[in-house]
């Protein structure tokens, strides 16, 4: 029974003689014929009673027994437990990663692909899909990492995704979970996922990349290896973000747009301002085209009418200034168009401004040729833009022909100038357009495209680009190069041609070059033209380097701004201010744009380094050159003055001034005249000895009697400075007796002053005797132009070591097609000058005034000495300038001139402070015959009362001042005030309204000279007179200071009369 019910508690009831066996709460009772054998009380821990051996034995491995157990037999370990030795009183739990079955003596390790996470596991759990376990005896499975997946349970390893692919999460279960992550795109099975490049937007996945804002993506199948699905994507810059809004698959554009970079609209549509392609039949297009055509026609008509008016009447300064300001504004707008060509992501309002400025780029986009002419070819579109300028010129040509058919006269020179003005004003836009095919921008794809036509590849054998280049080269050779060459040639010939016969007509022809600039800044027209050309050239030459474009563009604008500020070239203060303000604005715009420029750090550093090296090298070169030049000057001093002009202030000051005026533009070097060099008077003898190449002594009656002249002569003689003697009509050679007594001419104080400079009387006598051995050149103030030219040639020949300037042997600065001498060039004068004809100083005063006036008003001016001359020229003349000098009113010839020119507007000029205005006593003496005898011819001819009336009428007009002995600065300021008295425009209109018999005999030459005024010269002095109050104070200060210096350094006080 014990064996049958092994391991259970079988007991014997001796009282009843039964066996009892409890099983699952039920006690089974059985009868027995005899009682069982004797059973010991209990076995120990880990032991059981062996019926066979009738003793306690140790429990076997996998079994256990505790003493508190009712059974005397060992029990098997439960599943998940184990007992690996004999005599166990308890089983141990299997560790994690293992399992066991019932009664197992040991735990088994989980196989790869499974795991047991708990202690005492009776079985291992297979890894789920997306999980794996490659080792045995592990407590848990591992999730498949990124780029791997597992599609079955119990996987020992995860499968890897294809090359370059990955998963967006761990524990992926399907191969479809393999994809490209964000900022990557799928390039095919071979290359897998590649990093997103510039111009792309990659959301991830196995789809193609999308285009980024402002970019166009296209696929390049030419590089796909055979038999593969590998795809190469090329990114190109679009014109703006409106055209390419982004998030588009490769080779696609927004609705209605086509082509690379989505630069074109589909046939029958045009691009509106917002980038949307609209049907060609829209009212907006019709209105815009009509407005453009009408505006062009109006512009041509206005321009032609303006050219006609320019040929007829003179211009006020306001008109010239307005012309300059319009030119500056148009050039600046075109410059903004050039800035927009730089690859900078501009913001509003500059984006809108770019669309607005398209009209100034000389393109036909504004009339949408794709709609009007059905023009789809990019080359045809470009050629059509190039033909805009010829069409404008043809329209102007036809307009001029129509005007001539209507018998309206306009000179050929003015017509040529009108054509030149059109090209000049639009030159920057023409340059931008002509060079645009060479402006190729780099793209992320590594393939350059034309900046203005993004669909056209550069330098890739593209037939379209070849057509562009051919048209561009042709435009440059036919327009840009010839026009620049024309400007260079005209500028180089200006100084020569303006003084030739026909110089007025030549200047009218090239008025488009010189009209906007001051006469002494005539060359700035070429500077302004080259500025425009370089601005257009910068984006072309440096098209692939944005940082270099910005730096060089700033350098160009800064250089021209410096020149403009230094030269003040424009004819009008307001125009100069406007040009400077616009240049500063462009520089600020470039500075701001540099903050938006795409930054390639390495590239930018190289560019900035190169630019810094260039600037430092240039600065070093300039500094070194300056040091070498100054060192040479110190070691080998150069003489500052080519000629030192010595004269007696009281007797020949104005003659010396006139001599300097006729010499200064014919001598290479400065001419010293004491009234212009007041700062050097303290060292005047040193100037003669150390800084003068030639000493020209203007000898008048009292020159040798003046101590300062004597000191200058001794200095020249002592230091072997070449001396050239020029004599006036009043000079007489000194005799030996006079030279012996020369020391008695000066006071002891004056002799003491000379001795401080090492000059004694014997030195003066020796120098005077030396002068007698020299030849003399007579100076005749009444000489005609031919005699005067001969005098100049003789004087320059006598001046050894002096270089004369070519091309100006018979002309003076500031003259236009005329010779500035006592005689005119044959043209009828529009202004007469009269004064004391018997006084050399008075005659030279008139010549100096005429010479200075010609530099400002550019009118024909004649000095008249007789009544017949005044009568001859008064019909065409408008003004009579009377130079008031001492004794003028006592001259009969002046009274006769005043009578002959009585119909002219009189402008009196006070040239000598010693002139006495007539009072009542003078008029009484005049009427009584004490001024002019009553039987004098002039009195007999016009009457003494008429002379008195003429004098009284003369002095009813306020006289202006001209300081004949003053410096050139004072004289220029006084001439500016004088020219404000003339009203040429009103006079020209009045002249043109006269009847034919009123102008009978008048030469047409002055009228031609008047016609050129609007296009060539104007009353520029009006601008300068605007600052008259401040200028007058400055002039008075200069006069006061110079007078004081003259008293101290030139002559003793008694000579100031």
């Amino acid at each position: 029974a014990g064996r049958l019910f092994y391991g259970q508690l079988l007991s014997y009831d001796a009282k009843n003689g039964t066996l009892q066996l409890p099983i699952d709460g039920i006690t089974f009772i059985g009868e027995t014929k005899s009682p069982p054998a004797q059973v010991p009380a209990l076995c120990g821990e880990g032991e059981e009673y062996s019926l066979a051996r009738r003793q306690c034995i140790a429990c076997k491995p996998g079994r256990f027994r505790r003493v508190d157990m009712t059974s005397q037999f060992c029990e098997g370990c439960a599943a998940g437990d184990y007992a690996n030795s004999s005599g166990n009183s308890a089983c141990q739990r299997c560790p994690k990663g293992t399992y066991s079955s019932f009664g197992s003596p040991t735990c088994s390790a989980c196989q790869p692909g499974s795991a047991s996470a708990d202690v005492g596991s009776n079985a291992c759990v297979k890894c789920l899909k997306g999980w794996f376990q490659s080792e045995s005896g592990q407590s848990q499975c591992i999730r498949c990492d990124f780029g791997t997946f597992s599609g079955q349970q119990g996987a020992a390893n995860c499968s890897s995704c294809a090359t370059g692919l990955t998963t967006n999460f761990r524990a992926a279960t399907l191969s479809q979970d393999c994809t490209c992550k964000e900022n990557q795109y799928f390039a095919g099975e071979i290359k897998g996922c590649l990093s997103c490049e510039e111009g792309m937007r990659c959301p991830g996945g196995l789809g193609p990349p999308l285009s980024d804002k402002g970019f166009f993506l296209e696929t390049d199948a030419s590089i796909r290896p055979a038999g593969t699905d590998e795809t190469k994507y090329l990114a190109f810059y679009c014109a703006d973000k409106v055209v390419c809004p982004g998030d588009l698959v490769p080779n696609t554009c927004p609705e209605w747009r086509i082509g690379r970079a989505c630069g074109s609209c589909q046939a029958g549509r045009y691009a509106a301002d917002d980038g949307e392609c609209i049907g060609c039949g829209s009212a907006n297009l019709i209105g815009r085209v009509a407005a453009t055509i009408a505006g062009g026609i109006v512009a041509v008509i206005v321009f032609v009418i303006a050219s006609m008016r320019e040929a007829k009447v003179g211009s006020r300064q306001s008109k010239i200034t307005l012309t300059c300001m319009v030119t500056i504004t148009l050039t600046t707008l075109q410059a903004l168009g050039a800035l927009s060509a730089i690859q900078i992501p501009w913001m509003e309002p500059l984006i809108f401004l770019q669309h607005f400025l398209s009209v100034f780029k000389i393109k036909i986009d504004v009339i949408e040729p794709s709609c009007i002419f059905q023009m789809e070819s990019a080359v045809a579109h470009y050629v059509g833009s190039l033909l805009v300028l010829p069409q404008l010129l043809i329209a102007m040509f036809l307009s001029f022909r129509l005007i001539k058919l209507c018998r309206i006269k306009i000179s050929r020179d003015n017509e040529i100038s009108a054509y030149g003005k059109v090209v000049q004003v639009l030159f920057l836009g023409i340059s931008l357009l002509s060079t645009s095919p060479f402006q190729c921008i780099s793209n992320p794809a590594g393939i350059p495209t034309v900046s203005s036509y993004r669909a056209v590849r550069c330098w890739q054998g593209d037939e379209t680009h070849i057509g562009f280049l051919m048209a561009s080269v042709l435009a440059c050779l036919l327009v840009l190069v010839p026009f620049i060459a024309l400007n260079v040639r005209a500028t180089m010939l200006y100084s020569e041609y303006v003084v030739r016969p026909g110089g007025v007509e030549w200047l009218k022809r090239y008025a488009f070059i010189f009209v906007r600039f001051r006469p002494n800044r005539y060359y700035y027209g070429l500077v302004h033209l080259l500025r425009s050309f370089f601005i257009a050239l910068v984006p072309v030459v440096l098209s692939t380097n944005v940082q270099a474009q910005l730096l060089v563009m700033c350098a160009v604008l800064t250089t021209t701004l410096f020149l403009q500020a230094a030269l003040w070239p424009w004819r009008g203060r307001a125009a100069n201010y406007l040009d400077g303000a616009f240049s500063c604005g462009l520089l600020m715009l470039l500075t701001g744009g540099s903050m938006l420029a795409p930054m390639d750090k390495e590239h930018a550093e190289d560019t900035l380094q190169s630019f810094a090296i260039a600037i430092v090298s240039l600065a070093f070169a300039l500094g070194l050159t300056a040091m070498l030049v100054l060192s040479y000057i110190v070691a080998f001093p150069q003489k500052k003055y080519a000629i030192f002009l010595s004269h007696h202030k009281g007797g020949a000051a104005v003659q010396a001034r006139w001599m300097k005026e006729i010499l200064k533009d014919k001598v290479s070097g400065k001419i010293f005249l004491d009234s212009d060099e007041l700062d050097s008077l303290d060292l005047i003898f040193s100037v003669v000895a150390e800084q003068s190449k030639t000493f020209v002594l203007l000898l008048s009656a009292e020159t040798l009697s003046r101590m300062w002249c004597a000191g200058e002569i001794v200095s020249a003689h002592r230091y072997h400075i070449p001396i050239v003697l020029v004599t006036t009509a009043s000079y007489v050679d000194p005799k030996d007796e006079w030279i012996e007594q020369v020391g008695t001419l000066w006071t002891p104080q004056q002799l003491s002053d000379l001795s401080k400079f090492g000059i004694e009387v014997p030195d003066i006598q020796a120098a005077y005797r030396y002068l007698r051995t020299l030849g003399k050149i007579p100076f005749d103030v009444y000489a005609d132009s031919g005699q005067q030219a001969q005098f100049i040639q003789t004087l320059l020949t006598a001046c050894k070591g002096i270089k004369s300037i070519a091309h100006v042997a018979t002309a003076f600065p500031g003259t236009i097609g005329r010779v500035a001498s006592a005689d005119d060039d044959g043209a009828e004068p529009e202004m007469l000058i009269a004064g004391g004809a018997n006084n050399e100083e008075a005659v030279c005063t008139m010549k100096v005034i005429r010479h200075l006036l010609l530099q400002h008003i550019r009118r024909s001016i004649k000095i008249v000495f007789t009544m017949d001359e005044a009568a001859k020229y008064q019909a065409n003349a408008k003004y009579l300038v009377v130079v008031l000098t001492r004794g003028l009113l006592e001259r009969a010839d002046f009274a006769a001139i005043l009578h002959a020119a009585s119909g002219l507007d009189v402008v009196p000029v006070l040239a000598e402070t010693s002139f006495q205005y007539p009072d009542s006593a003078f008029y009484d003496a005049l009427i009584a015959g004490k001024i002019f005898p009553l039987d004098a011819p002039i009195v007999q001819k016009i009457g003494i009362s008429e002379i008195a009336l003429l004098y009284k009428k003369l002095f009813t007009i306020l006289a202006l001042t001209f300081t004949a002995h003053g410096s050139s600065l004072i004289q220029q300021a006084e001439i500016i005030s004088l020219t404000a008295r003339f009203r040429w425009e009103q006079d020209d209109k009045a002249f043109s309204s006269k009847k034919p018999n009123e102008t009978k005999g008048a030469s047409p030459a002055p009228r031609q000279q008047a016609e050129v005024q609007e296009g060539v010269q104007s009353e520029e002095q009006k601008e300068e007179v605007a600052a008259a109050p401040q200028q007058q104070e400055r002039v008075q200060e200069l006069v006061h200071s110079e007078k004081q210096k003259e008293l101290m350094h030139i002559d003793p006080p008694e000579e100031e009369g």
Side-chain angles (χ1 to χ4, degrees):
R3 288 192 296 269
L4 179 63
F5 301 102
Y6 181 75
Q8 298 295 325
L9 182 58
L10 180 65
S11 61
Y12 174 71
D13 187 356
K15 180 180 179 180
N16 299 319
T18 60
L19 292 173
Q20 297 179 357
L21 180 65
I23 299 175
D24 294 333
I26 301 176
T27 302
F28 294 91
I29 301 174
E31 295 182 354
T32 179
K33 296 179 178 181
S34 62
Q38 183 66 32
V39 179
L42 286 173
C43 291
E45 293 281 347
E47 294 178 342
E48 67 176 346
Y49 182 78
S50 174
L51 295 176
R53 296 181 181 181
R54 305 237 175 213
Q55 64 180 7
C56 293
I57 60 175
C59 294
K60 294 180 180 180
R63 301 179 66 82
F64 75 99
R65 180 179 177 278
R66 295 189 305 274
V67 294
D68 58 347
M69 296 173 60
T70 59
S71 174
Q72 294 295 311
F73 302 100
C74 294
E75 296 182 0
C77 292
D81 293 344
Y82 75 98
N84 58 1
S85 61
S86 301
N88 294 299
S89 61
C91 295
Q92 297 180 6
R93 306 298 300 273
C94 287
K96 295 180 180 181
T98 61
Y99 72 98
S100 67
S101 58
F102 177 80
S104 177
T106 60
C107 295
S108 301
C110 294
Q111 296 300 313
S114 63
S116 60
D118 299 325
V119 176
S121 295
N122 59 6
C124 291
V125 179
K126 290 183 178 181
C127 294
L128 300 175
K129 293 180 179 180
W131 297 71
F132 79 100
Q133 181 51 259
S134 60
E135 299 178 1
S136 60
Q138 298 299 312
S139 62
Q140 61 183 3
C141 295
I142 303 173
R143 288 185 297 177
C144 292
D145 203 355
F146 292 106
T148 61
F149 67 94
S150 172
Q152 61 182 359
Q153 291 184 344
N157 290 289
C158 295
S159 302
S160 297
C161 293
T163 303
L165 297 181
T166 187
T167 57
N168 293 326
F169 52 89
R170 289 173 176 166
T173 61
L174 300 174
S175 61
Q176 289 80 356
D177 293 332
C178 294
T179 183
C180 295
K181 63 182 178 180
E182 189 175 2
N183 294 325
Q184 288 186 334
Y185 68 95
F186 186 66
E189 294 293 341
I190 297 178
K191 290 191 175 181
C193 296
L194 298 179
S195 296
C196 204
E197 300 174 357
E198 184 183 5
M200 303 178 182
R201 197 184 70 80
C202 305
L206 298 178
L210 304 178
S211 61
D212 201 358
K213 290 183 178 180
F215 290 88
F216 172 79
L217 286 182
E218 83 176 13
T219 55
D220 189 355
S222 62
I223 64 172
R224 177 183 297 176
T228 69
D229 62 347
E230 183 177 343
T231 304
K232 174 68 175 178
Y233 298 98
L234 305 177
F236 296 90
Y237 286 110
C238 295
D240 52 47
K241 295 180 181 179
V242 175
V243 174
C244 297
D247 291 336
L248 297 174
V249 297
N251 302 315
T252 59
C253 291
E255 187 179 14
W256 308 118
R257 283 195 168 272
I258 58 175
R260 181 182 294 119
C262 304
S264 304
C265 291
Q266 293 182 3
R269 292 182 174 272
Y270 75 97
D273 292 337
D274 59 358
E276 181 183 358
C277 291
I278 302 176
C280 290
S282 66
N284 184 28
L285 174 64
I286 297 174
R288 184 166 67 173
V289 172
T292 302
I293 296 175
I297 295 174
V298 171
V300 171
I301 294 174
V302 170
F303 192 85
V304 170
I305 293 175
S307 301
M308 293 172 55
R309 288 180 55 82
E310 177 179 296
K312 289 184 177 181
V313 298
S315 280
R316 294 175 299 178
Q317 179 59 36
S318 57
K319 290 184 179 179
I320 295 295
T321 302
L322 179 61
T323 300
C324 295
M325 295 177 73
V326 170
T327 301
I328 293 169
T329 302
L330 292 176
T331 303
T332 303
L333 290 175
Q334 294 174 74
L336 283 173
L339 298 188
S340 66
I342 300 177
Q343 298 305 303
I344 294 177
W346 299 104
M347 302 179 300
E348 293 291 355
L350 292 177
I351 296 177
F352 167 77
L353 195 59
Q354 288 182 12
H355 296 288
F356 171 74
L357 293 175
S358 61
V359 66
F360 298 102
K361 294 182 180 179
I362 324 298
K363 288 188 176 182
I364 58 174
D365 299 33
V366 67
I367 62 173
E368 298 302 336
S370 58
C371 287
I372 297 179
F373 306 108
Q374 300 299 312
M375 186 185 297
E376 301 296 337
S377 169
V379 175
H381 185 277
Y382 177 65
V383 173
S385 297
L386 289 176
L387 292 177
V388 170
L389 178 64
Q391 291 169 1
L392 284 175
L393 298 178
I394 291 173
M396 290 180 59
F397 177 80
L398 296 177
S399 300
F400 282 122
R401 300 286 76 77
L402 180 61
I403 289 171
K404 289 188 176 182
L405 289 177
C406 297
R407 300 185 180 277
I408 299 176
K409 293 183 179 179
I410 183 169
S411 69
R412 180 172 174 268
D413 294 323
N414 285 103
E415 183 178 348
I416 294 174
S417 179
Y419 298 141
K421 286 177 183 176
V422 172
V423 182
Q424 188 90 24
V425 170
L426 301 178
F427 183 78
L428 180 51
I430 297 170
S431 301
L432 287 170
L433 179 63
S434 300
T435 59
S436 60
F438 292 92
Q439 185 183 353
C440 298
I441 62 171
S442 59
N443 291 282
I447 300 174
T449 53
V450 179
S451 176
S452 52
Y453 295 89
R454 302 297 173 90
V456 181
R457 296 189 179 192
C458 291
W459 322 118
Q460 304 289 315
D462 192 326
E463 293 183 358
T464 303
H465 189 233
I466 294 175
F468 274 16
L469 293 177
M470 294 175 63
S472 172
V473 171
L474 193 63
C476 292
L477 293 178
L478 294 180
V479 180
L480 296 187
V481 174
F483 192 73
I484 293 175
L486 178 67
N487 277 260
V488 172
R489 182 177 181 276
T491 302
M492 295 177 63
L493 296 177
Y494 177 87
S495 298
E496 177 183 355
Y497 273 56
V498 294
V499 298
R500 287 185 175 184
V504 171
E505 286 70 24
W506 183 87
L507 197 55
K508 288 167 63 177
R509 186 179 311 149
Y510 294 102
F512 64 92
I513 302 176
F514 307 111
V515 65
R516 300 163 295 165
F517 306 102
R518 299 169 58 152
N520 59 340
R521 300 289 185 261
Y522 65 90
Y523 52 83
Y524 198 80
L526 179 60
V527 175
H528 193 67
L529 184 76
L530 294 178
R531 170 185 180 264
S532 299
F533 182 68
F534 286 129
I535 288 176
L537 209 59
V538 167
V540 176
V541 177
L542 304 170
S543 58
T544 60
N545 192 333
V546 176
Q547 284 75 27
Q549 291 182 54
L550 291 170
L551 290 173
V552 175
M553 191 74 79
C554 285
V556 172
L557 292 174
T558 303
T559 302
T560 53
L561 176 61
F562 172 79
L563 291 175
Q564 187 269 331
L567 299 176
W568 209 246
W570 295 95
R571 294 183 61 187
R573 182 175 286 105
N576 284 285
Y577 286 140
L578 183 67
D579 191 18
F582 278 166
S583 296
C584 291
L586 291 175
L587 285 171
M588 294 178 67
L589 190 61
L590 282 173
T591 304
S594 64
M595 302 178 185
L596 302 174
M599 179 63 71
D600 181 348
K601 185 176 181 181
E602 183 178 354
H603 201 179
E605 288 179 351
D606 293 341
T607 301
L608 185 58
Q609 185 179 30
S610 301
F611 197 76
I613 291 174
I615 292 177
V616 172
S617 301
L618 180 61
F620 178 77
L622 291 176
L624 181 61
T625 302
M627 290 177 60
L628 293 175
V629 171
L630 291 175
S631 300
Y632 178 82
I633 292 175
V634 172
F636 306 97
Q638 300 294 312
K639 297 195 174 183
K640 181 178 180 180
Y641 300 101
I643 294 176
F644 186 100
L645 193 53
S646 178
H647 65 284
H648 170 221
K649 180 177 177 62
V654 188
Q655 294 177 70
R657 165 65 63 190
W658 175 238
M659 185 178 294
K660 178 178 179 179
E661 292 297 325
I662 64 177
L663 289 175
K664 68 180 182 181
D665 293 309
K666 302 165 186 61
V667 174
S668 179
K670 296 181 64 177
I671 299 177
F672 183 95
L673 185 65
D674 52 10
S675 58
D676 292 336
E677 307 286 347
L678 297 179
D679 294 335
S680 304
L681 296 182
D682 290 333
L683 304 173
I684 192 168
F685 298 151
S686 297
V687 172
V688 174
E690 300 175 3
Q691 300 185 36
S692 302
K693 295 180 179 180
T694 302
F695 182 79
V696 175
L697 179 60
L698 182 59
L699 292 168
S700 57
E702 299 185 34
T703 302
L704 301 181
S705 302
R706 301 302 155 189
M707 58 168 284
W708 293 104
C709 293
E712 295 168 0
I713 295 170
V714 170
S715 298
H717 179 252
R718 177 179 294 172
Y719 291 97
H720 308 290
I721 305 299
I723 299 177
V724 177
L725 302 182
V726 178
T727 60
T728 64
S730 62
Y731 173 73
V732 178
D733 278 332
K735 297 182 179 180
D736 292 335
E737 296 80 4
W738 187 87
I739 294 177
E740 292 297 332
Q741 301 297 322
V742 71
T744 62
L745 298 176
W746 303 300
T747 65
Q749 180 61 44
Q750 292 173 327
L751 292 174
S752 175
D753 291 340
L754 288 175
S755 65
K756 294 177 183 178
F757 298 98
I759 299 174
E760 304 292 343
V761 173
D763 300 322
I764 299 174
Q765 293 171 339
Y768 282 5
R769 292 189 182 97
Y770 173 73
L771 293 181
R772 294 174 62 183
T773 65
L774 301 177
K776 300 175 180 63
I777 303 174
F779 180 47
D780 184 6
V781 299
Y782 300 98
D784 57 26
S785 58
Q787 295 170 334
Q788 185 170 277
Q790 183 61 41
F791 163 77
I792 294 171
Q793 186 62 40
T794 303
L795 179 60
L796 293 179
T797 302
C799 295
K800 298 179 181 179
I802 302 300
K803 294 182 180 180
S804 60
I805 301 176
H807 307 303
V808 290
T810 60
F812 297 106
T815 60
I816 300 295
R818 61 173 69 87
V819 177
S821 64
D823 299 323
D824 210 325
D825 60 351
E828 290 290 334
E830 298 172 271
M831 180 188 298
L832 305 179
I833 299 179
N838 65 325
N839 184 286
E840 292 180 331
E841 286 288 273
V843 172
C844 286
T845 300
M846 291 188 288
K847 290 190 174 187
V848 171
I849 291 175
R850 176 181 181 271
H851 175 70
L852 297 178
L853 283 174
L854 285 173
Q855 297 181 15
H856 291 272
I857 62 174
R858 308 298 179 88
R859 299 280 177 151
S860 180
I861 304 173
K862 179 76 174 178
I863 299 176
V864 293
F865 296 103
T866 65
M867 179 179 181
D868 292 339
E869 286 183 318
K872 176 182 178 181
Y873 299 121
Q874 67 89 26
N876 187 73
K878 304 177 185 65
Y879 294 99
L880 173 66
V881 176
V882 176
V883 181
L884 303 176
T885 55
R886 182 172 48 188
L888 177 65
L889 302 183
E890 287 80 13
R891 292 197 53 80
D893 53 355
F894 171 71
I897 291 173
L898 202 60
H899 172 71
S902 58
L904 305 181
D905 290 342
V906 179
V907 179
V909 176
L910 180 63
E912 287 186 5
T913 56
S914 60
F915 174 80
Q916 294 184 352
Y917 285 92
D919 53 13
S920 57
F922 173 84
Y923 287 112
D924 292 339
L926 178 64
I927 297 298
K930 297 179 180 180
I931 305 299
F932 302 122
L934 297 179
D935 58 351
I938 184 62
V939 176
Q940 295 294 326
K941 185 172 183 179
I942 64 176
I944 195 68
S945 299
E946 179 65 19
I947 295 176
L949 289 175
L950 290 173
Y951 282 179
K952 290 180 179 179
K953 180 181 178 181
L954 171 63
F955 294 109
T956 59
I957 304 170
L958 179 63
L960 299 177
T961 301
F962 180 77
T963 308
H965 294 187
S967 68
S968 60
L969 177 63
I970 292 177
Q971 291 179 350
Q972 287 285 354
E974 291 171 339
I975 288 296
I976 290 173
S977 298
L978 174 60
T979 53
R981 284 285 185 94
F982 308 128
R983 302 175 301 278
W984 292 110
E985 185 177 76
Q986 294 89 332
D987 295 332
D988 287 338
K989 292 180 179 179
F991 186 93
S992 62
S993 64
K994 289 183 179 181
K995 297 179 180 179
N997 58 356
E998 293 178 36
T999 58
K1000 184 178 181 180
S1003 171
R1007 190 54 39 211
Q1008 294 173 359
Q1009 294 170 1
E1011 290 172 357
V1012 80
Q1013 293 305 305
E1014 182 168 341
V1016 180
Q1017 302 297 336
S1018 70
E1019 300 163 2
E1020 186 177 352
Q1021 67 277 6
K1022 292 184 179 180
E1023 161 210 332
E1024 302 177 28
V1025 172
Q1030 297 86 349
Q1031 192 177 57
Q1032 279 301 110
E1033 294 179 5
R1034 174 63 177 158
V1035 169
Q1036 294 299 327
E1037 292 176 2
L1038 289 170
V1039 172
H1040 179 69
S1041 61
E1042 292 187 8
K1043 289 295 184 182
Q1044 287 184 331
K1045 292 181 179 180
E1046 291 169 0
L1047 288 170
M1048 294 172 61
H1049 300 288
I1050 300 300
D1051 285 319
E1054 60 268 22
E1055 297 184 4
E1056 284 306 304

